[in-house]
Amino acid sequence: MSHRQLKIGYFGLTALNTLATSYFLNYLFFYLRDRFGFGNRENLWVSALHGFIYIFSAWQCGRFAQKRGFHTSLKAGFAGLALWIGAGALLDSVPGLLLVVAGYSVVLLFTWPALEALVSEGESRDGVQHMVGIYNCTWAAAAAFAYFTGGMLYEYCAHEYSARIAVFWIPALLCLLQLGAVFWLEKRARTVAKPQRSAMATAPHPEPVALQQPVSPAGFLRMAWLSNPFAFVAINTLWAVMPGLAVKLGLSPAQVGLFCSVWLFGRLASFAILWKWNGWHYRFRWLLGAFVLLIGSFLAILLAKLLWVVVVAQVFFGLATGMLYYASLFYSMDVGETQAEHGGLHEAAIGLGIFAGPAVGAVSLQFLPHVPNAGVYGVSALLMCGLAGLVALRVTARQRPGA
């Protein structure tokens, strides 16, 4: 097996992991609605719980992968995911499912930092850009496919017990498949010679434009790490309230998969464009424009009463979230040598957004239950604070002597 063939295997794991986790977590909110009568407030609290644990797990699991080995981390992650998600099918209580979400949020982070590092390991600077592009397009395509088909699968398994097949058993089996694949790939990896360092590019930046900016590459990394969590503030608020949005628009789960997966395909298109075009590297205006577009499209999706407006707004939402995510991951992999640890910090920043958005939305609905769209306005205010923080970082960096 060649070095490139090994990378194809890691991309396959990326796709399967996205399918498994998307089927489980995204449609768990529908399961909680239908089985236990959860509304937007309750689902937002569940999402906030997931995000809170995600923050600390990501950082520590990224360090674990860097110290103990990427394959060891993947084996621990996939085995844990199979056990925790499978346990969800056997537990028929709210406390039990909350425990499953907590356990899932820990073991999940043994997988993503390790996968992010494996796809860029042993690559030149140009190779990192290429591999990160393939990685992003791979998981984004799998996520779009999962949400597009997950609604039909959930609706087909609409009975209480058969719905567990769609939400729990299928994802758990996919995780077991990945576990077996890791053992096979690890064995093959021992026979693959790693590229020689002397043959790799050693330039400190992927392109000369990085040295022409008033902000250092590390400064762009900080701005990207600030921006990306706010993309997930919006994304995970949207995931959690999707069952409620479906009721408002009169959509069945299958129709949600059809009409509310548009932004996922928009994000995939964004990744493909950003992969092949590097004009956005180390340019602040792209981060700023994406952040502004994120806020406007988020409000349009959740406040619109017409389905066509929701669909059009999703296109822009996908483009904005794609830009912010791609910037964070690219700079995380490009600045420094400890890819898994930087990947863990990238994921920890994501966890902060996963927690903050749903938490603010849930608190708003908890204390202002009679205010229409209180959760939407609360999360939007949080997004505006993020935009102000991004601008402040840029202004501060510009004034820094010798930047």
mmCIF file of all heavy atoms in Angstrom, residues 11 116 119-120 123 126-139 271 275 280 325-334:
data_model
loop_
_atom_site.group_PDB
_atom_site.id
_atom_site.type_symbol
_atom_site.label_atom_id
_atom_site.label_comp_id
_atom_site.label_asym_id
_atom_site.label_seq_id
_atom_site.Cartn_x
_atom_site.Cartn_y
_atom_site.Cartn_z
ATOM 1 N N PHE A 11 -9.553 9.082 4.531
ATOM 2 C CA PHE A 11 -10.703 9.837 4.034
ATOM 3 C C PHE A 11 -11.979 8.996 4.113
ATOM 4 O O PHE A 11 -13.063 9.512 4.384
ATOM 5 C CB PHE A 11 -10.458 10.303 2.600
ATOM 6 C CG PHE A 11 -9.415 11.383 2.482
ATOM 7 C CD1 PHE A 11 -8.394 11.291 1.554
ATOM 8 C CD2 PHE A 11 -9.450 12.492 3.300
ATOM 9 C CE1 PHE A 11 -7.421 12.277 1.444
ATOM 10 C CE2 PHE A 11 -8.476 13.490 3.204
ATOM 11 C CZ PHE A 11 -7.464 13.377 2.276
ATOM 12 N N GLU A 116 -7.827 14.540 11.504
ATOM 13 C CA GLU A 116 -7.317 15.784 10.919
ATOM 14 C C GLU A 116 -5.792 15.742 10.807
ATOM 15 O O GLU A 116 -5.209 16.231 9.827
ATOM 16 C CB GLU A 116 -7.765 16.976 11.777
ATOM 17 C CG GLU A 116 -9.264 17.249 11.680
ATOM 18 C CD GLU A 116 -9.791 18.074 12.840
ATOM 19 O OE1 GLU A 116 -8.964 18.537 13.668
ATOM 20 O OE2 GLU A 116 -11.022 18.240 12.954
ATOM 21 N N VAL A 119 -4.499 13.042 7.961
ATOM 22 C CA VAL A 119 -4.599 13.429 6.553
ATOM 23 C C VAL A 119 -3.538 14.448 6.159
ATOM 24 O O VAL A 119 -3.225 14.603 4.969
ATOM 25 C CB VAL A 119 -6.007 13.980 6.207
ATOM 26 C CG1 VAL A 119 -7.070 12.940 6.464
ATOM 27 C CG2 VAL A 119 -6.308 15.262 6.967
ATOM 28 N N SER A 120 -2.952 15.151 7.143
ATOM 29 C CA SER A 120 -1.924 16.142 6.829
ATOM 30 C C SER A 120 -0.526 15.681 7.215
ATOM 31 O O SER A 120 0.456 16.337 6.874
ATOM 32 C CB SER A 120 -2.228 17.474 7.528
ATOM 33 O OG SER A 120 -2.257 17.305 8.922
ATOM 34 N N GLU A 123 3.060 15.687 4.979
ATOM 35 C CA GLU A 123 2.831 16.462 3.763
ATOM 36 C C GLU A 123 3.664 17.740 3.768
ATOM 37 O O GLU A 123 3.989 18.279 4.824
ATOM 38 C CB GLU A 123 1.350 16.829 3.639
ATOM 39 C CG GLU A 123 0.404 15.646 3.541
ATOM 40 C CD GLU A 123 0.549 14.885 2.243
ATOM 41 O OE1 GLU A 123 0.988 15.490 1.239
ATOM 42 O OE2 GLU A 123 0.238 13.687 2.228
ATOM 43 N N ASP A 126 2.328 22.768 0.678
ATOM 44 C CA ASP A 126 1.317 22.693 -0.376
ATOM 45 C C ASP A 126 0.459 21.456 -0.201
ATOM 46 O O ASP A 126 -0.738 21.459 -0.485
ATOM 47 C CB ASP A 126 1.988 22.676 -1.750
ATOM 48 C CG ASP A 126 2.584 24.028 -2.120
ATOM 49 O OD1 ASP A 126 2.151 25.036 -1.520
ATOM 50 O OD2 ASP A 126 3.466 24.078 -2.989
ATOM 51 N N GLY A 127 1.104 20.371 0.258
ATOM 52 C CA GLY A 127 0.363 19.136 0.478
ATOM 53 C C GLY A 127 -0.677 19.261 1.567
ATOM 54 O O GLY A 127 -1.761 18.681 1.485
ATOM 55 N N VAL A 128 -0.349 20.035 2.623
ATOM 56 C CA VAL A 128 -1.320 20.266 3.695
ATOM 57 C C VAL A 128 -2.568 20.939 3.137
ATOM 58 O O VAL A 128 -3.705 20.548 3.429
ATOM 59 C CB VAL A 128 -0.703 21.125 4.823
ATOM 60 C CG1 VAL A 128 -1.781 21.609 5.791
ATOM 61 C CG2 VAL A 128 0.353 20.324 5.572
ATOM 62 N N GLN A 129 -2.358 21.974 2.315
ATOM 63 C CA GLN A 129 -3.499 22.672 1.716
ATOM 64 C C GLN A 129 -4.350 21.719 0.895
ATOM 65 O O GLN A 129 -5.591 21.733 0.969
ATOM 66 C CB GLN A 129 -2.993 23.812 0.827
ATOM 67 C CG GLN A 129 -4.104 24.568 0.100
ATOM 68 C CD GLN A 129 -3.569 25.603 -0.870
ATOM 69 O OE1 GLN A 129 -2.423 26.012 -0.777
ATOM 70 N NE2 GLN A 129 -4.386 26.013 -1.810
ATOM 71 N N HIS A 130 -3.690 20.871 0.119
ATOM 72 C CA HIS A 130 -4.409 19.927 -0.734
ATOM 73 C C HIS A 130 -5.186 18.904 0.097
ATOM 74 O O HIS A 130 -6.365 18.638 -0.164
ATOM 75 C CB HIS A 130 -3.409 19.210 -1.641
ATOM 76 C CG HIS A 130 -4.036 18.276 -2.624
ATOM 77 N ND1 HIS A 130 -4.800 18.711 -3.687
ATOM 78 C CD2 HIS A 130 -4.021 16.913 -2.700
ATOM 79 C CE1 HIS A 130 -5.224 17.666 -4.378
ATOM 80 N NE2 HIS A 130 -4.764 16.568 -3.800
ATOM 81 N N MET A 131 -4.530 18.346 1.098
ATOM 82 C CA MET A 131 -5.167 17.313 1.910
ATOM 83 C C MET A 131 -6.303 17.864 2.772
ATOM 84 O O MET A 131 -7.330 17.219 2.952
ATOM 85 C CB MET A 131 -4.116 16.627 2.794
ATOM 86 C CG MET A 131 -3.175 15.729 2.027
ATOM 87 S SD MET A 131 -4.097 14.395 1.187
ATOM 88 C CE MET A 131 -2.803 13.711 0.162
ATOM 89 N N VAL A 132 -6.106 19.052 3.323
ATOM 90 C CA VAL A 132 -7.173 19.669 4.106
ATOM 91 C C VAL A 132 -8.388 19.943 3.220
ATOM 92 O O VAL A 132 -9.536 19.804 3.644
ATOM 93 C CB VAL A 132 -6.682 20.957 4.790
ATOM 94 C CG1 VAL A 132 -7.843 21.754 5.370
ATOM 95 C CG2 VAL A 132 -5.699 20.619 5.908
ATOM 96 N N GLY A 133 -8.133 20.318 1.954
ATOM 97 C CA GLY A 133 -9.238 20.539 1.025
ATOM 98 C C GLY A 133 -10.031 19.272 0.771
ATOM 99 O O GLY A 133 -11.272 19.277 0.805
ATOM 100 N N ILE A 134 -9.329 18.162 0.537
ATOM 101 C CA ILE A 134 -10.014 16.889 0.324
ATOM 102 C C ILE A 134 -10.763 16.469 1.587
ATOM 103 O O ILE A 134 -11.908 16.009 1.525
ATOM 104 C CB ILE A 134 -9.013 15.794 -0.090
ATOM 105 C CG1 ILE A 134 -8.337 16.159 -1.409
ATOM 106 C CG2 ILE A 134 -9.714 14.444 -0.224
ATOM 107 C CD1 ILE A 134 -7.251 15.183 -1.829
ATOM 108 N N TYR A 135 -10.118 16.642 2.731
ATOM 109 C CA TYR A 135 -10.728 16.283 4.014
ATOM 110 C C TYR A 135 -12.043 17.045 4.228
ATOM 111 O O TYR A 135 -13.078 16.462 4.569
ATOM 112 C CB TYR A 135 -9.745 16.580 5.135
ATOM 113 C CG TYR A 135 -10.308 16.448 6.528
ATOM 114 C CD1 TYR A 135 -10.420 15.212 7.130
ATOM 115 C CD2 TYR A 135 -10.726 17.570 7.239
ATOM 116 C CE1 TYR A 135 -10.944 15.087 8.422
ATOM 117 C CE2 TYR A 135 -11.239 17.466 8.511
ATOM 118 C CZ TYR A 135 -11.336 16.214 9.108
ATOM 119 O OH TYR A 135 -11.856 16.111 10.372
ATOM 120 N N ASN A 136 -11.994 18.349 4.023
ATOM 121 C CA ASN A 136 -13.197 19.160 4.220
ATOM 122 C C ASN A 136 -14.317 18.760 3.273
ATOM 123 O O ASN A 136 -15.485 18.658 3.664
ATOM 124 C CB ASN A 136 -12.861 20.640 4.045
ATOM 125 C CG ASN A 136 -12.174 21.226 5.255
ATOM 126 O OD1 ASN A 136 -12.277 20.699 6.353
ATOM 127 N ND2 ASN A 136 -11.441 22.304 5.062
ATOM 128 N N CYS A 137 -13.988 18.558 2.016
ATOM 129 C CA CYS A 137 -15.006 18.167 1.036
ATOM 130 C C CYS A 137 -15.572 16.788 1.349
ATOM 131 O O CYS A 137 -16.764 16.523 1.128
ATOM 132 C CB CYS A 137 -14.423 18.193 -0.376
ATOM 133 S SG CYS A 137 -14.078 19.860 -0.986
ATOM 134 N N THR A 138 -14.722 15.901 1.880
ATOM 135 C CA THR A 138 -15.175 14.545 2.207
ATOM 136 C C THR A 138 -16.211 14.561 3.315
ATOM 137 O O THR A 138 -17.308 13.995 3.171
ATOM 138 C CB THR A 138 -13.975 13.676 2.621
ATOM 139 O OG1 THR A 138 -13.051 13.584 1.534
ATOM 140 C CG2 THR A 138 -14.431 12.282 3.018
ATOM 141 N N TRP A 139 -15.885 15.214 4.440
ATOM 142 C CA TRP A 139 -16.840 15.172 5.540
ATOM 143 C C TRP A 139 -18.064 16.038 5.258
ATOM 144 O O TRP A 139 -19.174 15.719 5.702
ATOM 145 C CB TRP A 139 -16.185 15.526 6.870
ATOM 146 C CG TRP A 139 -15.845 16.948 7.137
ATOM 147 C CD1 TRP A 139 -14.633 17.527 7.074
ATOM 148 C CD2 TRP A 139 -16.753 17.992 7.564
ATOM 149 N NE1 TRP A 139 -14.708 18.866 7.403
ATOM 150 C CE2 TRP A 139 -15.990 19.167 7.718
ATOM 151 C CE3 TRP A 139 -18.124 18.037 7.829
ATOM 152 C CZ2 TRP A 139 -16.553 20.367 8.114
ATOM 153 C CZ3 TRP A 139 -18.689 19.240 8.226
ATOM 154 C CH2 TRP A 139 -17.903 20.383 8.370
ATOM 155 N N PHE A 271 -16.451 24.733 0.499
ATOM 156 C CA PHE A 271 -15.201 24.002 0.705
ATOM 157 C C PHE A 271 -14.482 23.733 -0.608
ATOM 158 O O PHE A 271 -13.262 23.858 -0.708
ATOM 159 C CB PHE A 271 -15.477 22.679 1.419
ATOM 160 C CG PHE A 271 -15.780 22.816 2.887
ATOM 161 C CD1 PHE A 271 -16.322 21.753 3.583
ATOM 162 C CD2 PHE A 271 -15.528 23.997 3.569
ATOM 163 C CE1 PHE A 271 -16.602 21.856 4.936
ATOM 164 C CE2 PHE A 271 -15.802 24.119 4.924
ATOM 165 C CZ PHE A 271 -16.351 23.040 5.606
ATOM 166 N N TRP A 275 -10.870 25.283 -1.461
ATOM 167 C CA TRP A 275 -9.794 24.318 -1.655
ATOM 168 C C TRP A 275 -8.974 24.662 -2.908
ATOM 169 O O TRP A 275 -7.749 24.660 -2.891
ATOM 170 C CB TRP A 275 -10.402 22.918 -1.759
ATOM 171 C CG TRP A 275 -9.460 21.826 -2.160
ATOM 172 C CD1 TRP A 275 -8.109 21.775 -1.934
ATOM 173 C CD2 TRP A 275 -9.801 20.626 -2.842
ATOM 174 N NE1 TRP A 275 -7.592 20.601 -2.438
ATOM 175 C CE2 TRP A 275 -8.601 19.877 -3.001
ATOM 176 C CE3 TRP A 275 -10.994 20.095 -3.318
ATOM 177 C CZ2 TRP A 275 -8.582 18.632 -3.630
ATOM 178 C CZ3 TRP A 275 -10.965 18.852 -3.940
ATOM 179 C CH2 TRP A 275 -9.781 18.142 -4.091
ATOM 180 N N TRP A 280 -8.008 33.659 -0.641
ATOM 181 C CA TRP A 280 -8.524 34.086 0.663
ATOM 182 C C TRP A 280 -7.496 33.926 1.777
ATOM 183 O O TRP A 280 -7.696 34.441 2.884
ATOM 184 C CB TRP A 280 -9.765 33.276 1.031
ATOM 185 C CG TRP A 280 -9.520 31.795 1.108
ATOM 186 C CD1 TRP A 280 -9.558 30.904 0.092
ATOM 187 C CD2 TRP A 280 -9.167 31.042 2.276
ATOM 188 N NE1 TRP A 280 -9.267 29.632 0.541
ATOM 189 C CE2 TRP A 280 -9.019 29.702 1.883
ATOM 190 C CE3 TRP A 280 -8.965 31.379 3.614
ATOM 191 C CZ2 TRP A 280 -8.677 28.693 2.771
ATOM 192 C CZ3 TRP A 280 -8.625 30.376 4.508
ATOM 193 C CH2 TRP A 280 -8.494 29.042 4.083
ATOM 194 N N TYR A 325 -15.183 27.807 8.935
ATOM 195 C CA TYR A 325 -14.612 26.523 9.341
ATOM 196 C C TYR A 325 -13.301 26.257 8.617
ATOM 197 O O TYR A 325 -12.307 25.838 9.221
ATOM 198 C CB TYR A 325 -15.594 25.373 9.059
ATOM 199 C CG TYR A 325 -15.034 24.027 9.439
ATOM 200 C CD1 TYR A 325 -15.244 23.515 10.716
ATOM 201 C CD2 TYR A 325 -14.276 23.273 8.539
ATOM 202 C CE1 TYR A 325 -14.715 22.290 11.083
ATOM 203 C CE2 TYR A 325 -13.738 22.056 8.899
ATOM 204 C CZ TYR A 325 -13.973 21.565 10.171
ATOM 205 O OH TYR A 325 -13.430 20.357 10.524
ATOM 206 N N TYR A 326 -13.293 26.493 7.305
ATOM 207 C CA TYR A 326 -12.106 26.190 6.514
ATOM 208 C C TYR A 326 -10.916 27.006 7.000
ATOM 209 O O TYR A 326 -9.788 26.515 7.106
ATOM 210 C CB TYR A 326 -12.383 26.486 5.032
ATOM 211 C CG TYR A 326 -11.533 25.683 4.083
ATOM 212 C CD1 TYR A 326 -12.112 24.825 3.168
ATOM 213 C CD2 TYR A 326 -10.145 25.795 4.082
ATOM 214 C CE1 TYR A 326 -11.347 24.072 2.294
ATOM 215 C CE2 TYR A 326 -9.368 25.061 3.204
ATOM 216 C CZ TYR A 326 -9.972 24.203 2.317
ATOM 217 O OH TYR A 326 -9.204 23.470 1.459
ATOM 218 N N ALA A 327 -11.150 28.262 7.313
ATOM 219 C CA ALA A 327 -10.070 29.122 7.795
ATOM 220 C C ALA A 327 -9.486 28.590 9.091
ATOM 221 O O ALA A 327 -8.264 28.518 9.263
ATOM 222 C CB ALA A 327 -10.584 30.547 7.987
ATOM 223 N N SER A 328 -10.350 28.182 10.020
ATOM 224 C CA SER A 328 -9.866 27.697 11.302
ATOM 225 C C SER A 328 -9.042 26.428 11.150
ATOM 226 O O SER A 328 -7.945 26.305 11.717
ATOM 227 C CB SER A 328 -11.053 27.440 12.239
ATOM 228 O OG SER A 328 -10.610 26.919 13.476
ATOM 229 N N LEU A 329 -9.532 25.482 10.382
ATOM 230 C CA LEU A 329 -8.814 24.221 10.239
ATOM 231 C C LEU A 329 -7.536 24.406 9.430
ATOM 232 O O LEU A 329 -6.487 23.852 9.772
ATOM 233 C CB LEU A 329 -9.712 23.169 9.579
ATOM 234 C CG LEU A 329 -9.087 21.784 9.430
ATOM 235 C CD1 LEU A 329 -8.626 21.253 10.788
ATOM 236 C CD2 LEU A 329 -10.072 20.818 8.794
ATOM 237 N N PHE A 330 -7.590 25.199 8.373
ATOM 238 C CA PHE A 330 -6.389 25.391 7.559
ATOM 239 C C PHE A 330 -5.272 26.046 8.361
ATOM 240 O O PHE A 330 -4.125 25.593 8.354
ATOM 241 C CB PHE A 330 -6.697 26.230 6.323
ATOM 242 C CG PHE A 330 -5.466 26.516 5.493
ATOM 243 C CD1 PHE A 330 -4.943 25.560 4.648
ATOM 244 C CD2 PHE A 330 -4.815 27.740 5.589
ATOM 245 C CE1 PHE A 330 -3.797 25.809 3.904
ATOM 246 C CE2 PHE A 330 -3.669 28.006 4.854
ATOM 247 C CZ PHE A 330 -3.163 27.033 4.004
ATOM 248 N N TYR A 331 -5.596 27.126 9.089
ATOM 249 C CA TYR A 331 -4.575 27.793 9.876
ATOM 250 C C TYR A 331 -4.099 26.900 11.027
ATOM 251 O O TYR A 331 -2.916 26.936 11.396
ATOM 252 C CB TYR A 331 -5.095 29.126 10.415
ATOM 253 C CG TYR A 331 -5.395 30.152 9.340
ATOM 254 C CD1 TYR A 331 -6.541 30.939 9.387
ATOM 255 C CD2 TYR A 331 -4.525 30.336 8.276
ATOM 256 C CE1 TYR A 331 -6.816 31.877 8.405
ATOM 257 C CE2 TYR A 331 -4.786 31.270 7.287
ATOM 258 C CZ TYR A 331 -5.935 32.039 7.352
ATOM 259 O OH TYR A 331 -6.208 32.967 6.366
ATOM 260 N N SER A 332 -4.993 26.094 11.607
ATOM 261 C CA SER A 332 -4.591 25.184 12.674
ATOM 262 C C SER A 332 -3.571 24.177 12.176
ATOM 263 O O SER A 332 -2.605 23.849 12.876
ATOM 264 C CB SER A 332 -5.816 24.440 13.230
ATOM 265 O OG SER A 332 -6.693 25.310 13.876
ATOM 266 N N MET A 333 -3.783 23.657 10.975
ATOM 267 C CA MET A 333 -2.871 22.666 10.419
ATOM 268 C C MET A 333 -1.609 23.314 9.843
ATOM 269 O O MET A 333 -0.561 22.682 9.749
ATOM 270 C CB MET A 333 -3.574 21.875 9.315
ATOM 271 C CG MET A 333 -4.720 21.004 9.780
ATOM 272 S SD MET A 333 -4.207 19.607 10.815
ATOM 273 C CE MET A 333 -4.655 20.212 12.444
ATOM 274 N N ASP A 334 -1.686 24.575 9.459
ATOM 275 C CA ASP A 334 -0.584 25.229 8.750
ATOM 276 C C ASP A 334 0.404 25.922 9.687
ATOM 277 O O ASP A 334 1.556 26.109 9.348
ATOM 278 C CB ASP A 334 -1.146 26.255 7.760
ATOM 279 C CG ASP A 334 -0.106 26.691 6.743
ATOM 280 O OD1 ASP A 334 0.521 25.815 6.120
ATOM 281 O OD2 ASP A 334 0.093 27.900 6.578
#
